[in-house]
Amino acid sequence: HALQINSKEIDALNNKANLLTKMGRIEEANVIYDKACQAEPNSALINYNYGNFLLNLKKFEEAISMLWIQPPSSAYFRRR
């Protein structure tokens, strides 16, 4: 069950995690990214940044799961 957080709060969490990463506060950044992902699991921005964060930590399997993008459904193409 997703946390109730609005889009501005998601942006703030993303920015905070990015800043913590740059400051070398990796564990704290990980917690913030995880919270953001739980709140907004389909956010491309969070998934991209968290995936790259995990890649830098050499957590490849976790990173792949964050960066994996589902191809558009065939219904998407039929509507066009």
Side-chain angles (χ1 to χ4, degrees):
H1 144 284
L3 302 172
Q4 297 298 316
I5 296 180
N6 69 41
S7 63
K8 288 185 182 182
E9 291 170 312
I10 292 296
D11 289 343
L13 288 173
N14 180 64
N15 292 338
K16 184 175 183 178
N18 287 336
L19 180 61
L20 288 167
T21 300
K22 289 178 183 176
M23 295 171 63
R25 295 165 57 181
I26 302 304
E27 291 300 319
E28 291 173 82
N30 193 48
V31 169
I32 299 298
Y33 274 128
D34 187 57
K35 181 178 179 180
C37 283
Q38 288 179 36
E40 192 62 47
N42 296 319
S43 167
L45 178 66
I46 296 297
N47 288 333
Y48 176 79
N49 286 336
Y50 195 23
N52 282 309
F53 171 83
L54 293 167
L55 278 175
N56 287 328
L57 296 178
K58 301 192 184 333
K59 295 183 176 185
F60 301 116
E61 287 186 32
E62 292 175 62
I64 289 169
S65 72
M66 296 306 302
L67 295 169
W68 180 258
I69 299 172
Q70 294 293 329
S73 69
S74 58
Y76 171 82
F77 293 105
R78 284 195 297 267
R79 287 188 308 224
R80 297 200 145 249

